[in-house]
Amino acid sequence: EEFRRRHPSVRIRVVGQNSAEVADAVRDGQLEAGLVVLPVDDRGLDVRPAMQEELLYLSAEPRRVRDPMTIEELAQAPLILYDARWGADDPMRRQLRERAQRAGVKLEPDIEVEYMTAALDLAQRGLGDTIADRAIVASRGLARRLQGVPFDPPLFETFAFITRRNAHLSPATRAFIAVAEKRVAALRRRLDAERPEAVEDA
């Protein structure tokens, strides 16, 4: 909205669903820039981390979110995961898979869907549990319907802006990234201010 108001004559095309897909498109020159969740294949890319956010295990069933979620318990949980088409390359799943391998367990979700919104909706209906970061829970007002606990040890998503290495970005893309960076920084400040530890430290 902010970019459109500032530059009403510029056509906007924002594509991509999964970070692996976005990284491939930027590397191949189909997109000039992207906002992704790390890790991604960074061959030929410049990567600028922008924000880190903690992932939570979410459930509509209070007894399943009494304590932090370990990878061993996650392997037994009624799990709903999104990004079904990108399962093997999805950054969050890569983190979970590596953690499961180290623990000697296997993660097999009960339900896989394409969109995070679908996973959250199914979890709210009690069909299983899912995973999302604190920012999603806060922005979508999910705290009343889904309760969340952190992972043990904590699990984080790192968001980063990516461009093709040594690429010259168009003025429109540079302007769009500037707006996006400002928005991400504002979100990071707001989330930091809302954290319980921020209140305790004050």
Side-chain angles (χ1 to χ4, degrees), residues 31-33 48 162-164 166-174 177:
L31 296 175
E32 286 193 79
R48 288 183 294 119
I162 59 170
T163 55
R164 198 159 42 144
N166 301 320
H168 295 286
L169 301 180
S170 67
T173 297
R174 288 199 303 270
I177 289 177

Side-chain angles (χ1 to χ4, degrees), residues 35-56:
L35 178 62
V36 299
V37 176
L38 302 179
V40 294
D41 180 356
D42 63 358
R43 288 173 299 139
L45 299 176
D46 284 329
V47 180
R48 288 183 294 119
M51 183 174 85
Q52 188 177 69
E53 193 55 35
E54 186 174 12
L55 287 165
L56 301 178

